[in-house]
């Protein structure tokens, strides 16, 4: 509670100190998980992406925790910012799979919107791999990869997003 109060008072150093204490004493308890989430958010703001991964990695083993999908998504972006594209895509794949299991064939829901956002991010992350000149992320392989991740109903949106990104990055050819 004190860490949260310091956070609200915009006193990050004292908030961080309290959150680190909570993690050491209650690492995977609800209080420790909330402290991890707060510290990860601070790390994102400060461009300390390896710290994001360190704070959130214990949540990877806790898919039933309500913070799990958020943590996985943050870990995808942390890896993307570290230029670890294969790992970033792996976390987005986990994120999408999490929502695939929850949604099933249900009608459009907020969870489906979150899933579609991750599918859009897949195209962006794949472009980063392509621009890194990795043969793993070739144009020829993109359609099969998108289809495997997005299923048939999303392949058009993913291909369109990827095409727009390619054009925006001067890859019309």
């Amino acid at each position: 509670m004190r860490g949260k109060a310091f956070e609200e008072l915009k006193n990050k150093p004292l908030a961080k100190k309290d959150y680190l204490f909570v993690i050491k004493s209650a690492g995977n308890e609800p209080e420790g998980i909330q402290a991890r989430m707060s510290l990860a958010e601070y790390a994102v703001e400060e461009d300390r992406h390896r710290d994001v991964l360190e704070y959130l990695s214990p949540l990877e083993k806790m898919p039933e925790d309500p913070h799990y999908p958020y943590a996985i998504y943050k870990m995808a972006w942390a890896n993307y910012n570290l230029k670890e594209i294969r790992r970033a895509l792996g976390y987005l794949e986990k994120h999408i799979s999490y929502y695939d299991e929850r949604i099933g064939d249900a009608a459009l829901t907020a969870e489906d919107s979150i899933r579609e956002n991750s599918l859009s991010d897949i195209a962006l992350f794949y472009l980063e791999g392509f621009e890194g000149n990795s043969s793993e992320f070739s144009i020829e392989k993109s359609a099969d990869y998108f289809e495997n991740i997005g299923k048939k109903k999303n392949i058009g949106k993913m291909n369109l997003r990827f095409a727009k990104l390619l054009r925006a990055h001067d890859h019309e050819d």
Side-chain angles (χ1 to χ4, degrees):
M1 296 293 284
R2 188 173 72 182
K4 189 69 174 162
F6 282 132
E7 188 174 336
E8 290 176 11
L9 291 170
K10 310 275 190 257
N11 190 335
K12 285 185 182 181
L14 289 178
K16 286 180 189 179
K17 183 178 177 183
D18 280 349
Y19 289 147
L20 287 169
F21 175 80
V22 170
I23 287 174
K24 287 179 185 168
S25 58
N28 291 337
E29 298 300 318
E31 297 83 6
I33 292 169
Q34 190 57 49
R36 288 180 183 285
M37 298 302 289
S38 293
L39 286 168
E41 196 59 42
Y42 284 154
V44 167
E45 291 170 8
E46 297 166 1
D47 290 327
R48 295 183 358 260
H49 303 291
R50 292 225 184 272
D51 290 346
V52 172
L53 298 172
E54 180 184 329
Y55 294 135
L56 298 180
S57 64
L59 275 80
E60 244 186 296
K61 299 174 190 114
M62 305 168 71
E64 299 305 316
D65 188 278
H67 297 96
Y68 174 83
Y70 178 77
I72 294 300
Y73 188 72
K74 285 289 187 191
M75 292 173 77
W77 274 98
N79 277 290
Y80 174 81
N81 288 316
L82 292 168
K83 306 293 184 211
E84 296 177 13
I85 302 305
R86 173 52 23 226
R87 291 192 68 197
L89 284 166
Y91 280 107
L92 279 181
E93 291 167 14
K94 275 186 183 182
H95 193 248
I96 291 163
S97 177
Y98 173 85
Y99 284 107
D100 280 347
E101 291 173 18
R102 292 181 57 97
I103 296 167
D105 293 326
L108 185 65
T109 63
E111 290 174 334
D112 195 36
S113 295
I114 293 168
R115 181 184 170 279
E116 283 197 26
N117 190 57
S118 287
L119 290 169
S120 179
D121 290 343
I122 287 270
L124 174 66
F125 287 19
Y126 195 94
L127 175 75
E128 184 74 24
F130 169 74
E131 290 186 330
N133 295 318
S134 170
S135 61
E136 181 181 5
F137 304 107
S138 69
I139 297 292
E140 295 78 18
K141 294 178 182 177
S142 66
D144 287 339
Y145 177 68
F146 294 162
E147 186 173 351
N148 287 335
I149 301 300
K151 313 287 189 270
K152 293 268 187 211
K153 74 176 192 171
N154 299 103
I155 187 76
K157 290 178 187 176
M158 293 177 77
N159 279 330
L160 180 61
R161 169 89 166 128
F162 189 54
K164 287 179 178 180
L165 287 166
L166 285 168
R167 187 174 44 240
H169 288 243
D170 295 323
H171 299 294
E172 289 90 1
D173 55 328

